[in-house]
Amino acid sequence: MTSPAPVVLAFLDPAFPDGRVADATKPQLLVTDLGVTRGDGVFETMLAVGGTVRKMQAHLDRLGGSAAALDLVIPDQDAWRRVIAAAVARHRSENPPADAAADELVVKLVVTRGVEGAAPTAWVQASPAGAAGRRQRETGIDVILLDRGYDSDVAERAPWLLLGAKTLSYAVNMAALRHAHKQGADDVIFLSSDGRVLEGPTSTVLLAHVEKSDDGTTVKRLITPQLDSGILAGTSQGALFAAAKAAGWELGYGPLEPRDLTDADAVWLISSVRLLAPVNRIDGKEIGTPSIQKELTAELSELFAGIH
């Protein structure tokens, strides 16, 4: 029997500027916490490499936006930064990484509404990154297309659905992943009921085209679904788009349909912990141009590695 992965857990508490450290192996939340009983809360998941948390500002900004959508008052960004730094430092001190490849931590920020009538509950959790994400970056993934059950205009029409917020209500996302695994696939790309490409349960969709211009130069275009279609704005997608633009790539935002995925030279799912995972097959059909996909994955991965 393998021992559980070491976890550092620190609650944000005004009496403890660097966080109130708690035993992650012991119960810490009341059963009446609304995050437990209703999934009423928000979260962010970040990756720390070599002790440095990547894209922290973008994640803190998105956490604040998600909280605002839920009318949830959360600690300020300086408080989060102090506790994040302390949690990462403590984990690395107590669990020195075996090598550089293993020096990755998943840093999760969570806020629940707490017990009815009380203050919200907020904490930082630091734990080792799993090997599965690294493996999928290297070997790629197979995905299936699933209907999300909403049309692409619902986010604007029904903002109370919170489609653009990163909430704790992830039961549907996890059910979609379990369904994919039962079908022999690794992941999912959601479609709207009107046939638009949306996102993965825990990731953003990217695709690329490589073309020759009239003067013979190579044009590389990176495309993602429209952000107003009810998807979560990806911090990784935003950072990679900025880096790709600086490197001379053209950028585009949907609308995308399934045929755009099958017609692309390369497709990826990108997220903060798994990073850039090439999509090998969609619904069992091989997609992309393998040689181009390999080349573009290496180029974009190098650009993404330089983002902090």
Side-chain angles (χ1 to χ4, degrees):
M1 183 176 179
T2 59
S3 58
V7 176
V8 169
L9 181 65
F11 285 84
L12 278 76
D13 186 327
F16 298 84
D18 292 333
R20 174 173 57 81
V21 178
D23 186 345
T25 66
K26 303 289 178 62
Q28 298 295 336
L29 291 181
L30 294 173
V31 295
T32 50
D33 190 300
L34 295 176
V36 176
T37 60
R38 296 179 179 172
D40 193 353
V42 296
F43 77 102
E44 282 291 324
T45 305
M46 308 181 293
L47 183 68
V49 180
T52 300
V53 177
R54 293 165 53 90
K55 303 184 281 87
M56 187 188 300
Q57 187 61 54
H59 282 284
L60 290 174
D61 289 343
R62 191 170 67 179
L63 183 73
S66 296
L70 272 70
D71 295 320
L72 185 62
V73 178
I74 67 173
D76 64 44
Q77 292 191 356
D78 287 342
W80 283 108
R81 288 180 180 278
R82 288 193 300 270
V83 179
I84 291 167
V88 170
R90 185 182 183 108
H91 195 290
R92 299 185 78 237
S93 174
E94 295 178 352
N95 308 278
D99 52 53
D103 196 3
E104 293 185 353
L105 292 177
V106 177
V107 182
K108 181 172 274 191
L109 318 181
V110 185
V111 187
T112 76
R113 200 169 298 276
V115 176
E116 190 80 51
T121 307
W123 69 90
V124 173
Q125 175 182 313
S127 57
R134 291 193 292 271
R135 183 173 62 252
Q136 290 185 355
R137 296 174 209 164
E138 297 166 359
T139 62
I141 56 177
D142 293 347
V143 308
I144 59 175
L145 303 178
L146 291 183
D147 185 351
R148 195 173 192 176
Y150 299 118
D151 65 52
S152 57
D153 296 325
V154 71
E156 182 177 354
R157 191 172 67 250
W160 52 87
L161 292 176
L162 302 174
L163 295 181
K166 195 172 179 70
T167 74
L168 293 175
S169 302
Y170 254 50
V172 170
N173 300 52
M174 297 302 99
L177 286 176
R178 289 192 297 272
H179 178 77
H181 297 161
K182 291 174 184 177
Q183 309 307 310
D186 302 298
D187 215 316
V188 167
I189 293 177
F190 284 125
L191 302 178
S192 66
S193 58
D194 53 340
R196 297 289 175 82
V197 175
L198 298 175
E199 60 190 343
T202 63
S203 58
T204 304
V205 178
L206 298 178
L207 62 86
H209 288 283
V210 179
E211 303 166 354
K212 289 289 186 180
S213 65
D214 293 340
D215 62 5
T217 59
T218 299
V219 177
K220 292 174 286 188
R221 183 174 296 108
L222 192 60
I223 306 169
T224 198
Q226 287 177 298
L227 297 180
D228 61 357
S229 58
I231 66 175
L232 183 71
T235 61
S236 297
Q237 172 268 317
L240 183 58
F241 262 43
K245 182 178 181 180
W249 287 63
E250 292 186 0
L251 307 178
Y253 293 88
L256 300 175
E257 299 177 356
R259 68 170 178 268
D260 294 307
L261 300 175
T262 55
D263 290 345
D265 288 310
V267 178
W268 303 270
L269 293 184
I270 187 171
S271 57
S272 292
V273 174
R274 184 171 53 185
L275 306 182
L276 196 66
V279 175
N280 297 327
R281 297 174 186 83
I282 296 179
D283 289 339
K285 179 182 177 181
E286 292 190 8
I287 63 164
T289 307
S291 59
I292 295 178
Q293 183 197 63
K294 183 177 181 180
E295 177 185 339
L296 297 184
T297 298
E299 180 177 349
L300 291 175
S301 295
E302 185 175 352
L303 289 174
F304 198 39
I307 295 168
H308 297 290

